[in-house]
Amino acid sequence: MQPSALTGEERAAVLELMNSAEYAELPPAQIWARELDAGRYHCSISTMYRILREHGQSGERRRQATHPARAVP
């Protein structure tokens, strides 16, 4: 294990941040930039992607429109 690796608590805090209402629909790169602008650095962008992938959330983060099923006439 790397000495600079995030602890389990730190990884959970980053995941909670990315799933918060403010950031839930944004990609990790935008979350990272907004947090950095606010003066907070949690981890690298690639680590954010790694954490999402570990929890099965690496796909599309935006809400998607769902269309009703069409009945065959």
Side-chain angles (χ1 to χ4, degrees):
M1 182 172 185
Q2 292 282 24
S4 61
L6 295 178
T7 64
E9 288 178 358
E10 291 170 330
R11 294 175 84 78
V14 170
L15 182 65
E16 186 177 331
L17 172 76
M18 291 190 290
N19 287 333
S20 68
E22 182 182 0
Y23 294 135
E25 294 188 7
L26 295 177
Q30 287 184 5
I31 297 169
W32 180 86
R34 288 185 182 188
E35 285 294 298
L36 201 58
D37 286 344
R40 296 182 293 265
Y41 178 81
H42 303 282
C43 58
S44 68
I45 298 171
S46 59
T47 300
M48 288 182 163
Y49 276 107
R50 230 176 271 124
I51 292 170
L52 287 175
R53 196 173 24 227
E54 288 171 2
H55 293 280
Q57 299 179 21
S58 60
E60 180 65 54
R61 292 180 53 82
R62 295 176 293 178
R63 290 183 297 140
Q64 299 293 309
T66 55
H67 301 285
R70 294 190 176 169
V72 177

